[in-house]
Amino acid sequence: TDFQTRNLNIRVRRKDGTVETLHSLNGTVVSLARSLVVILESFQNADGTLRVPEVLRPYLGGRQTMKEEKTVGMIIRKTVRGSYKNVAKPLLFRMHPDEAHSAMIVGAKFLSRTRLTRILSGMAYKHPMLEQTVAGIAFKNPVGLSAGLDKNYDLPPIIKRIGMGFEIGGSMTAKVCRGNPKPWFHRLPEEKSIVVHVGLANAGARASLKKIAHYPASLWRDFPLSISVAKTNNKANASDEEAIED
């Protein structure tokens, strides 16, 4: 992305002398998605409401607090969260994380082909204040899926249904890449985190672009898709110098 680098005027001079804006990975100063988590953890009250940081209030119409509205969608979201915590999570944690990840991808692909996905729409939170247009592209909300999870573009229908505003898929490489040797995921229960060691495993550009083209055009109408591209360490494709120049 060049959103932050343009604002910070960070530029790069190429070998031919041309100067252009530098592109960065997942933001320049802070990780955009993680900054939202910090706000939620630091400003949430005991009753579930959120104190809006003073610096952000002008962008939210002067609101000092935010709270979840009591709607059908809220009831559905709480039901889904409860089901995950009490049913799905214990089952998934009985599986090796590699198997759990694969099961999630397969389950999401199956669900996206059925009418049951309509139930997921109740999880989506919508508010006009979250909508914005950047570079002529309309976003329903600023929270999206970053690159690394949906490496082969299997999840866009589900990601949109649950209310995310966009997706960054991949990373995609020119040719098929098997990634690192398995296992790919390692749980750290005491830290409530997971170590990811997948590498650049993906089906390659040809297969991924074919899959993206197969989705209906209506899917992207208010759900922008970005493609993260990457280079593997296969010297037969390109040298590091060539990749950087490209």
Side-chain angles (χ1 to χ4, degrees):
T1 175
D2 64 351
F3 176 75
Q4 290 187 348
T5 54
R6 280 189 288 107
N7 284 278
L8 296 173
N9 197 28
I10 300 176
R11 298 178 294 173
V12 60
R13 187 183 300 277
R14 301 299 183 184
K15 288 183 178 180
D16 61 2
T18 59
V19 178
E20 59 187 50
T21 301
L22 182 70
H23 286 69
S24 62
L25 178 64
N26 298 338
T28 304
V29 178
V30 295
S31 175
L32 302 181
R34 292 187 178 95
S35 62
L36 295 176
V37 175
V38 172
I39 292 174
L40 291 174
E41 290 182 342
S42 303
F43 292 89
Q44 191 170 34
N45 299 314
D47 60 359
T49 59
L50 183 72
R51 289 180 290 111
V52 178
E54 188 173 349
V55 69
L56 297 180
R57 291 174 187 175
Y59 303 97
L60 295 173
R63 296 180 64 178
Q64 297 185 15
T65 59
M66 298 181 68
K67 63 180 180 180
E68 192 172 26
E69 299 176 358
K70 294 183 178 180
T71 62
V72 174
M74 181 196 72
I75 296 174
I76 294 176
R77 288 193 292 273
K78 285 189 175 181
T79 301
V80 171
R81 286 197 293 265
S83 299
Y84 172 76
K85 179 180 179 180
N86 299 311
V87 180
K89 184 177 179 179
L91 292 176
L92 290 172
F93 270 63
R94 289 178 178 272
M95 305 167 64
H96 188 279
D98 283 47
E99 296 175 352
H101 176 80
S102 298
M104 181 274 294
I105 297 292
V106 172
K109 290 169 64 176
F110 171 78
L111 191 61
S112 66
R113 300 190 185 102
T114 71
R115 294 185 177 182
L116 293 176
T117 53
R118 296 179 180 178
I119 299 176
L120 299 177
S121 298
M123 296 175 60
Y125 180 82
K126 299 179 181 179
H127 197 286
M129 287 185 176
L130 298 176
E131 299 176 7
Q132 55 186 304
T133 300
V134 180
I137 302 174
F139 293 83
K140 288 292 185 182
N141 68 67
V143 179
L145 181 70
S146 64
L149 177 65
D150 191 12
K151 292 181 175 293
N152 295 315
Y153 304 88
D154 296 311
L155 305 179
I158 293 294
I159 297 302
K160 181 179 181 180
R161 281 287 188 180
I162 63 176
M164 289 194 177
F166 63 93
E167 175 180 331
I168 304 175
S171 291
M172 177 195 298
T173 56
K175 298 181 180 180
V176 177
C177 182
R178 297 184 181 277
N180 293 322
K182 292 187 176 182
W184 284 344
F185 304 99
H186 306 272
R187 291 191 182 104
L188 301 177
E190 293 182 359
E191 299 182 11
K192 297 182 179 180
S193 60
I194 191 168
V195 175
V196 180
H197 187 62
V198 179
L200 292 170
N202 74 102
R206 187 183 299 275
S208 293
L209 293 175
K210 182 178 180 180
K211 185 178 295 183
I212 293 170
H214 182 71
Y215 288 119
S218 58
L219 176 63
W220 317 118
R221 189 172 300 141
D222 54 357
F223 183 74
L225 174 70
S226 296
I227 296 175
S228 173
V229 296
K231 171 195 174 298
T232 67
N233 56 4
N234 185 351
K235 298 296 183 181
N237 294 338
S239 67
D240 292 341
E241 292 75 17
E242 291 171 334
I244 293 172
E245 181 64 23
D246 185 51

